[in-house]
Amino acid sequence: MKTLKLGIADDHELFRKGFISMLSSVPDFEFILEAANGQELLDRLPGHTPDIVFMDLQMPVMDGIQATEAAFERFPNIKVIVVSMYNEDRFVIHMLEKGVQGYLLKDTSPDEVEKAIRRVDEEGFYYNDFVSKAMHRKMVTRQINKHPFFPNACNVALSSREKEVLQLICDGLSTTEISDKLFISVRTVEGHRLRVLEKTGTKSTAAAVAFAYKNQLL
């Protein structure tokens, strides 16, 4: 069985220790790194690089936003799931644009946290209803304001199938589930996803979805 290496950056020790304890009971999860702020996380990453890092947003010394940007720059293969008490849409959308693979609130159930870890490991992203609704509300706001977020958004043209695949990703379906629903191969689904990344100029599925919603492509 593959062991998933995990890390967490959170300045509240009680939450951090409890979070680690909760997930350490899962046989194939192993926490190899914990940090009390973003700078401490970056200092420890070179010797202990996890597959997935859980990132708080508000921390002393260096916050989660800065730490996420630096982690992605220095360790391109690392995946980040935000775990925060901030439920405002602006935080969700901003972090998706930064390329994080998921966004969870601190009252998320243990079962959903485990689900998020496995989905991020297998699919590269995890969107629950909370994230999907935040993106939808942002899309509605942009339609009202008629103001595209990216100046080159008008040059992006997704095919009907690419939009269909992207919408199903937003709805939380895995690659296999999309394949079954659309009666196409997993390889074809992955091909559509990669073309969406190329057309939108984004580096992750999360960022591509945020781009599409904010620019009314879905």
Side-chain angles (χ1 to χ4, degrees):
M1 180 183 293
K2 172 186 176 182
T3 298
L4 290 174
K5 297 178 180 180
L6 308 175
I8 182 171
D10 194 293
D11 61 322
H12 291 93
E13 185 175 5
L14 184 62
F15 175 83
R16 190 174 70 245
K17 296 294 186 183
F19 194 85
I20 292 173
S21 176
M22 173 186 72
L23 291 177
S24 294
S25 63
V26 182
D28 56 330
F29 291 174
E30 178 186 5
F31 269 91
I32 64 170
L33 183 155
E34 62 172 297
N37 60 68
Q39 186 59 58
E40 188 175 328
L41 172 75
L42 295 176
D43 291 342
R44 295 182 178 181
L45 276 177
H48 306 83
T49 306
D51 300 305
I52 300 171
V53 171
F54 290 93
M55 187 81 73
D56 188 18
L57 292 185
Q58 185 176 8
M59 294 182 287
V61 185
M62 177 184 289
D63 63 35
I65 299 174
Q66 294 173 305
T68 296
E69 292 176 334
F72 282 151
E73 182 177 348
R74 301 179 195 180
F75 305 91
N77 293 326
I78 203 168
K79 297 179 175 66
V80 173
I81 299 176
V82 173
V83 181
S84 175
M85 64 180 182
Y86 293 125
N87 61 1
E88 294 97 327
D89 292 353
R90 61 192 179 95
F91 286 108
V92 178
I93 299 301
H94 184 65
M95 293 309 294
L96 290 180
E97 289 173 344
K98 295 295 181 184
V100 301
Q101 282 72 30
Y103 193 113
L104 302 174
L105 297 179
K106 286 193 171 181
D107 61 356
T108 299
S109 71
D111 286 344
E112 184 173 359
V113 175
E114 181 177 349
K115 179 181 178 181
I117 292 171
R118 299 197 185 283
R119 183 63 66 84
V120 167
D121 175 59
E122 295 169 3
E123 303 288 336
F125 63 93
Y126 174 73
Y127 302 135
N128 53 16
D129 289 341
F130 163 71
V131 171
S132 295
K133 288 177 181 178
M135 291 189 293
H136 178 71
R137 285 191 293 268
K138 180 60 66 173
M139 176 190 68
V140 172
T141 301
R142 290 294 170 186
Q143 287 177 332
I144 292 173
N145 294 337
K146 298 296 183 182
H147 179 66
F149 185 77
F150 295 96
N152 65 338
C154 58
N155 298 324
V156 176
L158 300 181
S159 69
S160 59
R161 181 63 92 184
E162 289 164 354
K163 289 181 180 179
E164 195 171 16
V165 168
L166 196 55
Q167 183 62 62
L168 291 175
I169 289 174
C170 279
D171 293 341
L173 274 67
S174 68
T175 299
T176 301
E177 290 169 336
I178 295 173
S179 170
D180 292 341
K181 187 176 182 67
L182 299 181
F183 302 103
I184 57 179
S185 69
V186 169
R187 185 175 180 179
T188 300
V189 174
E190 184 63 13
H192 288 307
R193 187 187 70 83
L194 292 175
R195 280 193 292 276
V196 169
L197 296 185
E198 181 180 355
K199 288 183 178 181
T200 57
T202 52
K203 296 182 179 180
S204 71
T205 304
V209 170
F211 180 99
Y213 265 116
K214 295 192 74 171
N215 292 285
Q216 305 168 33
L217 299 179
L218 291 178

